[in-house]
Amino acid sequence: MITSSIKETNDLRTLPGSVSILSPQAISTRQIHALKDISSLVPNLYIPDYGSRQTSAIYIRGVGARSSGQSIGLYVDNAPYLDKSSFDFELMDIQRIEILRGPQGTLYGRNAMGGIINIYTLSPLDYQGTRMSVSGGNHGLFKTKFSHYAKLDENFGISFSHYYDRNNGFFKNEYTGNMADKEKSTGMKIKLDWRITPNLNAAYTVGYDYTDQGAFPYGLYDKEKEIIHPVNINDPSSYNRRVFSNNLSFEYKTGGIILTSTSGYQYLKDDMQMDQDFTSASVFTLNQKQQQKAFSEEITLKSNTNRNYQWSFGTFGFYNDLNTQGPVTFKEDGIRDILQPVFDNLVGNTSMPGKLVITDEELYIPGDFETPSWGVALYHQSTYDNLFTEGLSVTAGIRLDYEKQKMHYQSSSSMGMNMVMNNPNIPPIPVARYTSVIDDRTSQDFWQVLPKVALKYQCTPSTYTYVSVAKGYKTGGYNVQMSADVMQGQMQYDMMSQYASHLAWMYKPAALDSTMSYKPEHSWNYELGIRSELIKNRLTTELTFFYTDIRDLQITQFVGSGNGRILTNAGKARSYGVEVSVQTKLTNNLTADINYGYTHATFRDYVYQINKDNEVDCKGNYVPYIPRHTLNVDLQYTKLFRNQFIDQFTAAAQVNGTGNIYWTELNDISQKFYATLNAKVGVRKGPVKLDVWGA
């Protein structure tokens, strides 16, 4: 297991922070095929499956994001993924997965407030051979994987991997009689490794993933009866995604330094259709399309000596060109029950001779967003071992981070109106078709300084304790999903302006930048931990306490009309808790792992605005979407045989638990703690292995 990093000045085995490393054996045993499969395997790590590969929400220690934006960074072979819409993909031929919990802003920057997930793939220079697997199960599960690793000569290797995955879904749509969430995905990856000289290595990886799934199989929740109704939607809900990614890296190593360069490019194109009322009524639908072109470049220079002092310098830059189209279509029931009452309320106390009635059977509200962003950063970290006394070390780092965001919003929509006279003897009068246009631009800049300091004392080679303080930061952004709400307000204002002299009052839409933008989220994280190998090669334990003070918490809310979700800043919050990990080898054949996390995340200062006339003080309430407990208990038995019919027998059992989870700021809807049991048995003969598993 490799435990070094191109940035970190500490070995991961003795890092003064919380880190978990999943080996290829752990990934295979625990049936980890995608990032969401590691949920609960690591203390206080929660990755829910919300029914679409687009909504890859990740929470660590009470820090996370339900909708737009991300609070946890993801790197694959040291190249960043800049949008969490691309986080959920098939994991193929993984060398290791590292999960660093707590703010990692000094080395990783803007959206690493909750932590970092690093994924590393196998190199054909280190591993050669062919792997092939076929899996099948109920619910139409069928999965194939193939990979081949080869050296073309002593200094050049190539690998090729391919996968195909499908299932027939788990939830039936009562309206259509078909499965609501069937899915198929496929992808490939090619990797080239070249040892140009003994000191200079180069690697190039290119990959493509395609996903086509029925998505968002949501059923309405009956709060009084505490039951969830079956999926029953009349409009299409689906998600289609294409992701092309590649990265090129160089590493130059001498006896004194390591110089690395990592260049990344990712192209994402997706198409989401959603029946936003989640019922059989014809209320409104959303068809969001994204096209993203993301570039990144990082250069790192770090020391490579056995001295007490280790250092690391780096610079990072990115450009993210994102176009989003998010048209909302109001249908018959939506016009009658949502839009028309707005006009009824506006003209209810006027001198007009009648009321305005919408004549359209459908109202199409387009929205086109260009939201390019770019940023640069400079960072440094130093570690000094054996400071004043043997075993005492200090790690300090700082990062200067700058980001520029722009938004160009364009939309145009029209609405037909009739005036129904107060006198029933007078027929309705056709008024006009009102057209509203929005063409607006705005921008915002973010500067941040992100420091970190950690003290570590290693009392024995296998036991050490540490304390750390670090600042976390998550960038602000724009709420493109509320475009229909903005356009609807503009249309109402433009129409009512024609009758200003008859109206007692009239609402004027707020400026675009104040309506659609949200501010950065900041935190200070304090951590105390101890890690020890109590019995050599038999028992390893880790205990961590953390406290996080969060300001301008970004939280998901529904917009006032109910026509979408937005990210808004919710005052202050605190999150504190404990994490426990135990890895033990009970016998030469039997191992056991226990991982437990407790998070207490509550609002310190937050007033929830239900509507313009009603608000609730949520101070002391739990922050939604975050489980208070995560639990993983893993047992694995392995037996090797000589000169027998089989060469190896394995059996594994795993319990994963999560909860309680509150789904609203008011804490009026929650999910209790629940657990799942997974089991697997397998035999191997030579290169062939057969596994049977269930959950």
Side-chain angles (χ1 to χ4, degrees), residues 641-666:
F641 299 92
R642 288 186 178 184
N643 301 320
Q644 300 292 325
F645 178 72
I646 60 173
D647 295 332
Q648 184 185 54
F649 171 79
T650 59
Q654 182 185 130
V655 175
N656 293 327
T658 303
N660 295 2
I661 303 174
Y662 288 95
W663 299 114
T664 69
E665 297 93 325
L666 301 178

Side-chain angles (χ1 to χ4, degrees), residues 45 56-74 81-84 87 100-105 108-117 472-475 518 520-523 550 552-556 567 626:
L45 171 66
S56 302
I58 305 178
Y59 301 90
I60 296 180
R61 294 180 173 177
V63 176
R66 170 66 177 88
S67 55
S68 57
Q70 64 193 69
S71 304
I72 314 300
L74 174 66
Y81 278 47
L82 298 180
D83 193 304
K84 69 184 186 67
F87 278 15
L100 284 72
R101 306 188 294 282
Q104 307 295 324
Y108 294 95
R110 54 201 282 274
N111 288 338
M113 195 174 91
I116 283 291
I117 299 176
Y473 162 64
K474 177 185 175 184
T475 184
Y518 55 89
E521 180 178 332
H522 305 84
S523 71
I550 305 171
D552 296 319
L553 175 69
Q554 295 175 6
I555 193 168
T556 300
L567 213 62
I626 297 165

Side-chain angles (χ1 to χ4, degrees), residues 75 91 162 190 198 209 222 237 244 286 349 370 377 409 444-445 529 534 603 614 679:
Y75 284 69
L91 300 177
H162 176 267
I190 299 174
D209 288 273
D222 189 323
S237 288
F244 171 79
L286 170 67
N349 185 23
E370 294 285 347
Y409 172 37
Q444 50 187 343
D445 300 81
L534 298 178
F603 294 109
N614 192 6

Side-chain angles (χ1 to χ4, degrees), residues 35 38-47 58-61 72 99 101 117 579 627 630 658:
L35 202 61
I38 69 174
S39 182
S40 301
L41 299 184
V42 175
N44 285 323
L45 171 66
Y46 176 54
I47 310 177
I58 305 178
Y59 301 90
I60 296 180
R61 294 180 173 177
I72 314 300
I99 302 95
R101 306 188 294 282
I117 299 176
E579 297 164 349
T630 62
T658 303

Side-chain angles (χ1 to χ4, degrees), residues 195-216:
R195 189 175 293 116
I196 303 173
T197 71
N199 295 333
L200 179 62
N201 289 348
Y204 174 71
T205 303
V206 58
Y208 175 80
D209 288 273
Y210 170 78
T211 295
D212 183 12
Q213 66 177 136
F216 310 106

Side-chain angles (χ1 to χ4, degrees), residues 1-2 19-28 30 32 34-35 37-39 41-42 45 91 94-99 117-120 583 593 595 632 634:
M1 180 64 65
I2 299 173
V19 58
S20 299
I21 303 176
L22 300 177
S23 67
Q25 181 182 11
I27 294 170
S28 174
R30 297 173 179 178
I32 298 174
L35 202 61
D37 294 333
I38 69 174
S39 182
L41 299 184
V42 175
L45 171 66
L91 300 177
I94 303 302
Q95 194 275 330
R96 72 187 187 277
I97 300 176
E98 302 169 354
I99 302 95
I117 299 176
N118 286 321
I119 299 175
Y120 296 93
Q583 293 86 38
D593 292 348
N595 296 283
N632 167 253
D634 198 328

Side-chain angles (χ1 to χ4, degrees), residues 424-584:
N425 296 321
I426 303 177
I429 300 176
V431 178
R433 174 163 289 276
Y434 295 94
T435 299
S436 296
V437 176
I438 295 179
D439 189 346
D440 206 348
R441 300 173 186 267
T442 185
S443 64
Q444 50 187 343
D445 300 81
F446 306 112
W447 287 93
Q448 286 294 319
V449 176
L450 302 172
K452 178 179 181 178
V453 178
L455 285 173
K456 180 183 68 175
Y457 180 65
Q458 192 161 356
C459 52
T460 71
S462 59
T463 301
Y464 68 91
T465 186
Y466 67 89
V467 60
S468 68
V469 179
K471 184 179 180 181
Y473 162 64
K474 177 185 175 184
T475 184
Y478 296 105
N479 284 300
V480 299
Q481 286 189 336
M482 69 173 298
S483 59
D485 206 59
V486 173
M487 190 62 194
Q488 177 188 334
Q490 186 65 45
M491 293 171 69
Q492 294 169 2
Y493 176 75
D494 291 342
M495 189 277 297
M496 300 308 296
S497 296
Q498 308 297 319
Y499 305 94
S501 60
H502 296 277
L503 299 178
W505 59 274
M506 189 168 60
Y507 172 75
K508 183 177 181 180
L512 186 68
D513 55 350
S514 63
T515 303
M516 303 191 70
S517 64
Y518 55 89
K519 299 184 294 184
E521 180 178 332
H522 305 84
S523 71
W524 280 99
N525 187 83
Y526 308 89
E527 186 172 325
L528 171 66
I530 183 171
R531 189 180 305 166
S532 178
E533 187 177 23
L534 298 178
I535 304 176
K536 187 174 179 59
N537 298 325
R538 288 285 182 179
L539 178 61
T540 301
T541 60
E542 182 177 356
L543 177 63
T544 307
F545 301 92
F546 66 89
Y547 179 91
T548 305
D549 183 41
I550 305 171
R551 291 179 292 112
D552 296 319
L553 175 69
Q554 295 175 6
I555 193 168
T556 300
Q557 286 185 348
F558 285 95
V559 296
S561 66
N563 305 335
R565 300 183 306 271
I566 63 170
L567 213 62
T568 186
N569 297 96
K572 301 176 182 178
R574 66 163 62 94
S575 177
Y576 61 85
V578 63
E579 297 164 349
V580 180
S581 292
V582 178
Q583 293 86 38
T584 179

